[in-house]
Amino acid sequence: INMNTTANIHKRYNLLFTLPSTALTLILLVSVSATLVFTSSFYGKIDILLQPQFFIIFEAVLFVLLIIEYLILKSNSLAIFRRLAFISVFSNGIWLAFVTIGSLLSPEKFLNFLIIGTFLSIAFRLLIFRSVFSNHLRLVLPTVSLQPVILFLLLSIGYDLTKYVIENPVLIGSGLILNLSVLIYLKLVNSASSDILKVPAITMLQAFLKAWTSEEASSLEEIIEMSSSKKIVQTSILKFKTENQNPVVIIPEVHPGPFYPIGSSNLPYQIYKFFSEKKVLPLIMHGVSGHELNLTSKKEVDNLLSSYNNLTKLGEGETCSIPITTKSGEAIANGFAFGDYAVIFLTLSPNGMEDFPREIMKPLEEESIKNGFKHLILIDTHNSQGKTVNQEESGDLLVVTKKILNQLRNAEQFSFKVGYAHSSEFNINFERDIGPAGIGVLILEIEGNKYTILVTDSNNAKRGLREELIHQLDTLGILVIELCTTDTHITAGKVMTTHGYIALGDQTKTEYLVDVIKKLYDKAIINVSKSNFDVNTVKTEVKVVGENMLTDVSQALDKTIRTARRGGFSLVILSMVAMILTFLI
């Protein structure tokens, strides 16, 4: 499970979430409907002299019908007026195109084209309404038919429709068959992934749409929980205590994700808020975890947070080592020894990286014990945008961590001071690549030297940004040990980027980041004072997405889309047959 899977899901759905503004949608709707009225008056029996009055009546009826649709579907968060109006733009546009092209080629058969155009409009609306808004055909069928049928009756004024229908049963039959085919098509699509997922594909689509467009998480979280598994996860917490402040570093084993607002997608901020309300100063970092450790629901997030009220204290102390930096292959480790506890930051920067594999934890914990440490706090800095970590890179991470553990075991330790500052203390505006937990700066002063750790509430960082920040801040006299991101997924999936998320540096300029960090550093310096520490852990049983959930969803989407494409081709053929019939009859 990795961000590439989420990016695949994002790729499948990213075109569903962008709508024109309400003003533009209404302009398009009026333009299309006005052209439809003009075409009908030109080829049909509407008196051209009465066209302005007819147009006003037509538009009034259209907007009344839209309001009726909105009232019928108002309990559905997806059925906003703008979306319903945009669907009308498309359905009436299909109708207009068919009528206009047909009438240009065969003007005497205008009513044929108007009738089949009506059926095409209903078919399109049926496809959308059934897929997006409701599973209940008793609600969908009248709703999708109401607007096209009423508008058709207005546009066909002057014709004896009863006689026309009796004399042209094949034409009417072809329209009905077309709509029946849409229902069959939807049924096939709905069952396409039933062997992979426990829910129909359209139900999954509707749940995704509610989550991504309306931030209504409950439907999708219920589906995810069906395939969830229980897991005991650990959170490590390093507390500092000074005369002025009580900074706390929190490293959860839980992963933020899969995308906002589902599950633990906004976990870093929720943890930040939880500890802030307890009058401590939190810095949330990314543990070694992947998307298989996403929490399934907000209820599970609350469960995790509640467990933080019952921490187990492992030990305490008043000394730490000077930071040590070690490199092996592509991997870089920066580490401190706090008494009998090792704190290690891992990165592959400037090479790209995603979540580090969980498999590296067990051998490294064993290595930590061999070196005399009582607990290992391992931090995935998640600070260089890239692909899934490969086997060679995993090997580098193992080697570099074992090497630094050996060096930290013999490192001399000293008393130390701590200072902390957070962006919430200032009126700072951030772009979307920085989440609501903002930016935090932690300074460790050891033997007269100040070492800085930066944490931003971001989903990874633009490649090379880490090195650029370290260099620019160094010229200002700020020695940065590491840049960490929380891997928040508050924007994951809802953005039109290759990766499906916004990384730190994609929107915020480096110069602005440097200015903000300098401001926070200057504030943290004022707060620097002698500190001690204690190390805590808590183990929590939670429901997680598990090894296969996101992969299953991605595979199900692919299978559903293949079925949809094949069925869509059949619908196109049927539509062409209906068009040909309008010319022949």
Side-chain angles (χ1 to χ4, degrees), residues 199 217-227 296-297:
V199 296
S218 58
S219 298
L220 186 54
E221 288 182 342
E222 287 174 8
I223 292 171
I224 291 173
E225 285 205 339
M226 290 180 189
S227 302
T296 57
S297 65

Side-chain angles (χ1 to χ4, degrees), residues 349-350 383-384 454 461-476 478 480 482-483 504-506 508-514 517:
S349 185
N383 60 12
S384 186
L454 310 175
K462 191 176 177 181
R463 194 179 298 192
L465 178 64
R466 171 186 178 269
E467 287 68 31
E468 194 173 353
L469 282 176
I470 289 174
H471 171 71
Q472 291 199 30
L473 290 167
D474 185 58
T475 63
L476 299 174
I478 301 173
V480 175
E482 198 53 271
L483 165 69
L504 180 66
D506 280 345
T508 303
K509 301 296 183 184
T510 305
E511 294 73 19
Y512 186 77
L513 276 175
V514 170
I517 293 166

Side-chain angles (χ1 to χ4, degrees), residues 92-155:
N92 292 337
I94 291 169
W95 195 1
L96 171 63
F98 187 75
V99 170
T100 303
I101 294 171
S103 298
L104 284 171
L105 296 174
S106 187
E108 72 281 0
K109 295 184 177 179
F110 163 76
L111 189 56
N112 286 19
F113 301 120
L114 192 64
I115 290 172
I116 292 298
T118 305
F119 281 116
L120 283 172
S121 178
I122 293 171
F124 173 80
R125 289 163 59 81
L126 178 59
L127 192 65
I128 299 301
F129 276 61
R130 172 66 180 86
S131 299
V132 174
F133 298 130
S134 178
N135 298 324
H136 305 294
L137 286 179
R138 283 182 295 180
L139 174 68
V140 170
L141 287 174
T143 307
V144 301
S145 304
L146 184 64
Q147 185 185 130
V149 169
I150 297 297
L151 296 184
F152 165 76
L153 292 175
L154 287 174
L155 296 172

Side-chain angles (χ1 to χ4, degrees), residues 144-286:
V144 301
S145 304
L146 184 64
Q147 185 185 130
V149 169
I150 297 297
L151 296 184
F152 165 76
L153 292 175
L154 287 174
L155 296 172
S156 59
I157 285 175
Y159 290 94
D160 186 347
L161 294 178
T162 304
K163 180 181 177 183
Y164 197 88
V165 168
I166 293 172
E167 292 176 352
N168 295 278
V170 175
L171 187 67
I172 304 302
S174 64
L176 293 172
I177 290 171
L178 176 62
N179 280 270
L180 179 61
S181 300
V182 170
L183 290 174
I184 295 170
Y185 167 76
L186 287 168
K187 187 172 180 59
L188 291 173
V189 170
N190 205 24
S191 61
S193 58
S194 57
D195 58 329
I196 301 173
L197 297 176
K198 296 179 181 179
V199 296
I202 290 177
T203 301
M204 174 66 83
L205 170 62
Q206 290 170 356
F208 263 107
L209 287 171
K210 286 181 179 179
W212 287 35
T213 65
S214 306
E215 297 188 2
E216 186 181 312
S218 58
S219 298
L220 186 54
E221 288 182 342
E222 287 174 8
I223 292 171
I224 291 173
E225 285 205 339
M226 290 180 189
S227 302
S228 68
S229 56
K230 287 188 176 181
K231 182 89 172 177
I232 294 177
V233 296
Q234 179 175 264
T235 302
S236 296
I237 298 175
L238 178 61
K239 293 182 177 180
F240 297 104
K241 191 175 293 184
T242 75
E243 292 179 4
N244 307 322
Q245 299 176 306
N246 295 306
V248 178
V249 178
I250 304 108
I251 306 95
E253 201 172 67
V254 169
H255 189 274
F259 47 81
Y260 188 76
I262 301 301
S264 50
S265 56
N266 196 24
L267 182 68
Y269 175 69
Q270 289 166 304
I271 295 175
Y272 170 83
K273 184 179 178 183
F274 176 86
F275 280 96
S276 295
E277 289 173 352
K278 294 182 177 295
K279 308 303 179 185
V280 296
L281 308 170
L283 277 175
I284 296 86
M285 298 184 187
H286 186 290

Side-chain angles (χ1 to χ4, degrees), residues 3 37 69 114 121 129 167 221 268 279 351 361 373 380 401 460 473 505 528 554 559 578:
M3 195 64 206
V37 168
E69 287 176 15
L114 192 64
S121 178
F129 276 61
E167 292 176 352
E221 288 182 342
K279 308 303 179 185
N351 295 290
M361 281 300 300
F373 291 107
D380 174 357
T401 308
N460 219 319
L473 290 167
V528 166
S554 182
K559 186 173 181 180

